[in-house]
Amino acid sequence: MSDTRTVGFSKEDEACAYLKKHGYKILERNFRTPFGEIDIIANHKKDIVFIEVKYRKSSFSGAPQEAVTKSKQQKIIKSALSYMKQKRINGDMRFDIVAANDTGFEIIESAFTAEQGRYYF
């Protein structure tokens, strides 16, 4: 396994612990679909939350959340809808980002949204 993937998995482990401290109940990790992968799926308050974890060693490349591009968002949204359909879940969903760097973590709630009616299955 590459060093980058090892660091990524380690940061996802740490992000899960951080999320649990903030009231999230982890349901799934690294959920794969034909559209892509969702790092973490959790319950928080009354929402099913799809969470992308992004880590940056330094701010030289920009803030971690800036790496969640529109293209990446679309893959996460399609994967989330696939998850909801597969698990037969109806309810509110939200897309959060956990931005991580060497000083800690930040949860960005509702970091992006799915455009109503744009995605079909």
Side-chain angles (χ1 to χ4, degrees), residues 6-22 26 29 40 53 55 98 100-105:
T6 302
V7 170
F9 284 129
S10 173
K11 289 301 174 185
E12 284 180 18
D13 288 341
E14 292 175 38
C16 282
Y18 185 79
L19 289 163
K20 287 177 185 177
K21 288 180 185 175
H22 287 85
I26 308 303
R29 290 189 56 188
I40 301 169
V53 179
Y55 167 75
V98 173
N101 58 35
D102 287 336
T103 61
F105 294 87

Side-chain angles (χ1 to χ4, degrees), residues 57-108:
K57 188 179 242 181
S58 74
S59 60
F60 181 76
S61 304
Q65 61 270 28
E66 291 174 354
V68 185
T69 63
K70 197 64 148 168
S71 172
K72 179 67 175 171
Q73 291 173 20
Q74 290 173 348
K75 289 177 183 179
I76 294 168
I77 290 165
K78 287 178 182 178
S79 296
L81 291 169
S82 178
Y83 174 85
M84 297 289 276
K85 184 177 180 180
Q86 179 181 332
K87 301 290 182 175
R88 296 184 176 150
I89 298 172
N90 289 318
D92 294 329
M93 61 181 178
R94 190 175 82 213
F95 300 94
D96 291 1
I97 296 173
V98 173
N101 58 35
D102 287 336
T103 61
F105 294 87
E106 176 187 6
I107 301 169
I108 303 165

Side-chain angles (χ1 to χ4, degrees), residues 9 12 28-32 37-41:
F9 284 129
E12 284 180 18
E28 306 245 4
R29 290 189 56 188
N30 306 111
F31 182 81
R32 294 183 187 277
E37 179 183 273
I38 299 173
D39 292 335
I40 301 169
I41 302 171

